[in-house]
Amino acid sequence: TQTYIMAATGTGIAPFRSFLRRLFGEANPAQKNFQGLAWLFLGVANKDALLYDEEFQVYLRQNPDKMRLDYALSREGPLNKKGGKMYIQDKVEEYADEVFDALDKGAHIYFCGLKGMMPGIQDMLKDVCKAKGLDFEEYLEGIKKKGQWHVEVY
C-alpha cells in the first residue's frame, strides 16, 4: 500500500485532480489495484475558490478508506491554532503526527502551486521537527534521498 500526500494552492490543484481522477474516477487497473491512501490538502481563499470540489466529494464518498480531503480556507472558516488565517501549512500542521508517521512509512509528499507557499511549509516542518527532537535539514535530506519529497511550484 502506498500513501500519497498532496498539498496544493489554487490552480496547483490541476495535476492532483488528474492523479485523483486516475485513481478514483476512471475504470482502469490503477483504480482497481490501488490499496493505499490519497490525502489531499488544498489551500484557497474561500469556498467559492474550491476547484473540482464536487468531483472530489464523489471520490471521497466512493472511497472513504482510500481518500482524505482537507481544505484550508484563508479568508473564511476556522482560524489556525495561533488565531490567524488558515493557510495550507497550518492545515498540514494540524495533522503533523499523521503526516510524519506516513512519511516514516514511505509516503510520498507532493507540493504544487504558488512558490510562496513553500517558505511557510518549510517553517512549519522545521517547527514540527524541533518539537519531535529531529534535525530538520537531516530529516528533509533523508526523505529527498528516498525520493519521497516532490515540489513543483511556480
Side-chain angles (χ1 to χ4, degrees):
T1 64
Q2 182 63 59
T3 297
Y4 302 103
I5 302 167
M6 300 161 277
T9 55
T11 57
I13 193 63
F16 300 143
R17 178 193 188 202
S18 297
F19 186 65
L20 292 170
R21 181 178 280 181
R22 185 80 175 146
L23 284 179
F24 303 123
E26 301 173 351
N28 62 57
Q31 181 185 33
K32 182 180 167 191
N33 297 325
F34 182 63
Q35 297 301 315
L37 175 67
W39 189 356
L40 175 64
F41 291 92
L42 175 59
V44 293
N46 52 51
K47 287 179 187 163
D48 292 344
L50 287 174
L51 301 170
Y52 316 117
D53 181 56
E54 290 177 14
E55 188 176 322
F56 297 151
Q57 294 301 326
V58 169
Y59 301 157
L60 194 58
R61 277 192 304 276
Q62 293 174 346
N63 304 278
D65 297 332
K66 296 180 181 180
M67 184 176 172
R68 286 180 68 173
L69 180 60
D70 286 286
Y71 292 140
L73 305 174
S74 63
R75 293 204 177 92
E76 63 182 68
L79 299 175
N80 67 28
K81 70 180 187 178
K82 296 173 187 166
K85 291 180 179 179
M86 178 68 73
Y87 293 111
I88 187 102
Q89 64 267 21
D90 303 311
K91 186 53 74 172
V92 174
E93 185 178 20
E94 286 183 4
Y95 299 98
D97 288 341
E98 290 177 75
V99 169
F100 273 66
D101 185 52
L103 289 168
D104 290 345
K105 292 176 180 172
H108 286 251
I109 190 163
Y110 299 82
F111 300 95
C112 190
L114 296 175
K115 64 183 173 188
M117 79 168 161
M118 291 312 294
I121 291 281
Q122 290 192 311
D123 288 345
M124 176 273 296
L125 292 173
K126 284 177 191 171
D127 291 345
V128 172
C129 280
K130 185 176 180 182
K132 291 181 171 295
L134 302 170
D135 178 273
F136 171 71
E137 298 300 331
E138 271 182 36
Y139 184 81
L140 184 59
E141 187 58 36
I143 60 175
K144 283 181 177 180
K145 196 174 199 177
K146 294 177 197 167
Q148 295 172 255
W149 178 264
H150 313 273
V151 178
E152 186 62 44
V153 294
Y154 45 88

